[in-house]
Amino acid sequence: MSNPSTLNPQQLAAVKLLDHPLLVLAGAGSGKTRVITEKIAYLIKQGIPARHIAAVTFTNKAAREMKSRVGKLVQGKDIRGLRVSTFHELGRDIVRREHKAFGCKSDISIYDDHDRKHLLKEIIKHEPQVYDMEKVDHYGWQISRWKNQCILPEQAIGEGGSPDDVIAARVYEEYTRLTKAYNAVDFDDLILQPVLLFQEHAEVLEKWRNQIRYLLVDEYQDTNMTQYQLVKLLTGNLGQFTVVGDDDQSIYSWRGAKPENLTQLQQDYPRLQVIKLEQNYRSTGRILKIANHLIANNPHVFEKRLWSAFGPGDMPRVVKSKEEIAESRQIASDIIHHKFRHSTQFSDYAILYRGNYQSRLFERSLREHNIPYFISGGASFFDNVEIKDILAYLRLIMNPDDDMAFLRVVNTPRREIGPTTLEKLGQYATQRHVSLFSACFELGLEQNLPEAAIKRLRHFAEVMVDVADRSVRGDTFAVINEFIKALNYEDWLQDNSTSKLQVERRMGNVRELLDWLRRLAKEESGEDKSLAEVVAKIMLLDILDRQEEENSGDRVSLMTLHAAKGLEFPYVYLVGMEENILPHQTSIEENAIEEERRLAYVGITRAQKQLTFSYCTHRKKYGEMTDCKPSRFLDELPLDELEWNERNPLSEEKKREIGFAGLAAAKKAAQAKSQ
């Protein structure tokens, strides 16, 4: 079991408090994950069965880390049934288990952003005189915003608003009707639909309250209105919960996060207890001092001040460059020099920036200095065409009403089913209010399409029906493997690839996917899960994992400040510290400086040993060099705690050291290439 004696007094108090709803205000690096995992172990020790405890967070990576830590604290059968998942996994489980109450079939499809955009385009195509195809992204963003605020189509229509919002509300209404008809939900629905279900069906809510008797929520400041409602419904008036969050790290308002949910708890739960975690176990004193100074400029309902037992540490630095190319080269040189002097690893360094566009010049300079690097948020396994194809086939097998999947695979490999045929099929299906798959079998289709086209469509649909039937009755994955062979998918890849090596890689990806699905079907309980369950899970993993950190090896990390949240590095470069970059120009125009300040605070508190700020006096904009003003956030930092390079220029000795380090790195890279 756990050893709570190693917790500090505030952490221990948070772990042991059970008879009140609890808000833990956990500053950056203050051990919040440890508090959650130790509390789970404590709850089990107090006699609450693990199957009645749930912990939710926002990323698969965080959930895996949490579950792994709990596994080290609680041994054997005592942990059986514990739920540690993302919010969306919990929502998916509720949707799947309560599909009858939703009025859906069990094999519900989960639409990703691509599916949602495709469906919105189809809606726009049918009424081009009303809807604007160029605003498809705006419609999608607005629908997501409404769902995150727990606003239904009829409420959105009643709100009025701008002409664009009125039209978006009508698109929302049609989009909702079609997703229900297609037996599908999108990412936002995984939270919204359980909330609506619990509000309308008291008996279903009671069942889930009996199942989840204690709830723990990580990164609570990132919850949106709908997620807050889900927590409130599940925990009831007693408030059997612990939520952990930090209002100073709320940086996701653009996706609906409401840091106000922290203060809303006090109104909804008068018995709420608040415990602050202020001891930081990550950074040195000087780094925390400037972080505290910066964030003090934001208004606070809950005051807290981070401190560290690590001592003051090195002074944070401010580096000025004449323009952006010089900035990137200076930082690359600085990394080489620092690594040479301190025998560090490249993976100890991170370059953090406000926008992805800033990475290009740093990439170039790092390459010039033979410095290996890794950009967070690279291409996902799920972005491969062959993975999208096979998953679409599997989605269609488990849910024939999934129009997005149907359209992706109906002519892959080619079956001479062209766009004109699909357009007429789509028109007929819309008139009949049925899915494209169902429309293939209707007699009325013969009045809309020639016999040859109908024959090809029905042959495809019959094959899919046969595969679905055999996958249920026999060895599911043996049937799937046989089906993919029968498709001649490898031949299709050969016709659409540039080399034999590319074909082999793509087929290797297909085999890896199928092996992964087979393992998922057997995981944890050892009992076989249905194809629908494993495909739904893997689709959700795809959506959640797109922005998560990958194993970068010994490479310098390049990432946005948003992507850096939750991570830590010994040496951090926070670049582009200029007005209109950080804070961002749009935030200045919209008077949203507080969140930009929180973003800078997140960047500062990623650093463990050394922090370097960088800014330029000039940058190219639209091909012309323009003046730049240092970020207002630099002015908010304590000057006596910063080392400014313009006031302390490099000595000749240090310049020689940097040159020598660069030559050594180049020599090492040349030797590596020759081996």
Side-chain angles (χ1 to χ4, degrees), residues 109-121 175 185-186 392 395 402-405 408 539 543:
S109 294
I110 300 174
Y111 280 6
D112 63 11
D113 286 343
H114 172 83
D115 296 326
R116 181 179 68 176
K117 189 170 183 176
H118 187 95
L119 183 54
L120 289 172
K121 285 181 175 180
Y175 175 81
V185 293
D186 65 20
R395 283 167 53 186
D402 189 334
D403 277 7
M404 300 305 110
R408 181 169 190 97
M539 290 300 296
I543 296 167

Side-chain angles (χ1 to χ4, degrees), residues 305-360:
R305 193 167 186 83
L306 295 179
W307 62 277
S308 168
F310 291 151
D314 294 338
M315 267 197 175
R317 301 181 299 157
V318 182
V319 175
K320 180 178 79 170
S321 300
K322 289 184 179 179
E323 39 76 33
E324 61 260 49
I325 295 176
E327 178 189 39
S328 66
R329 287 176 175 167
Q330 185 166 358
I331 287 175
S333 294
D334 196 73
I335 290 172
I336 286 285
H337 172 251
H338 189 276
K339 184 178 185 297
F340 179 75
R341 289 191 65 184
H342 298 276
S343 299
T344 56
Q345 301 292 311
F346 283 120
S347 57
D348 292 335
Y349 301 87
I351 300 172
L352 310 181
Y353 36 78
R354 179 62 179 84
N356 279 310
Y357 70 92
Q358 291 171 264
S359 72
R360 185 177 58 82

Side-chain angles (χ1 to χ4, degrees), residues 56 86-92 94-95 102 150 188-199 205 208-209 212 215 217 220 223-236 241 261 269:
V56 292
T86 63
F87 264 104
H88 291 90
E89 281 182 294
L90 173 61
R92 184 207 66 179
I94 295 169
V95 168
F102 284 113
C150 231
D188 299 317
D189 282 326
L190 292 175
I191 310 298
L192 176 62
Q193 293 305 323
V195 167
L196 298 176
L197 177 73
F198 290 158
Q199 288 173 341
L205 174 58
W208 280 87
R209 281 182 179 171
I212 299 176
L215 181 67
V217 183
Y220 189 72
T223 55
N224 58 40
M225 181 60 72
T226 312
Q227 286 161 335
Y228 179 71
Q229 289 299 322
L230 182 61
V231 170
K232 192 175 171 185
L233 285 161
L234 283 170
T235 57
F241 65 74
N261 286 345
Y269 297 93

Side-chain angles (χ1 to χ4, degrees), residues 148-166:
N148 288 332
Q149 292 178 339
C150 231
I151 295 172
L152 301 180
E154 54 269 26
Q155 294 169 296
I157 290 169
E159 270 187 358
S162 69
D164 276 352
D165 287 349
V166 171

Side-chain angles (χ1 to χ4, degrees), residues 32-33 36-37 40 54-67 83-91 187 191 215-223 227 230-231 242 244-245 252 255 540 544 548 565-566:
K32 67 179 179 62
T33 304
I36 293 173
T37 54
I40 292 170
V56 292
T57 185
F58 282 85
T59 67
N60 284 313
K61 184 179 179 182
R64 286 192 297 266
E65 170 71 11
M66 209 180 289
K67 199 161 191 177
R83 179 190 294 274
V84 181
S85 69
T86 63
F87 264 104
H88 291 90
E89 281 182 294
L90 173 61
F187 196 57
I191 310 298
L215 181 67
L216 302 101
V217 183
D218 187 21
E219 302 286 10
Y220 189 72
Q221 76 282 346
D222 292 338
T223 55
Q227 286 161 335
L230 182 61
V231 170
T242 293
V244 183
Y252 295 113
R255 68 183 192 197
L540 187 57
L544 287 169
E548 289 192 20
K565 187 168 174 292

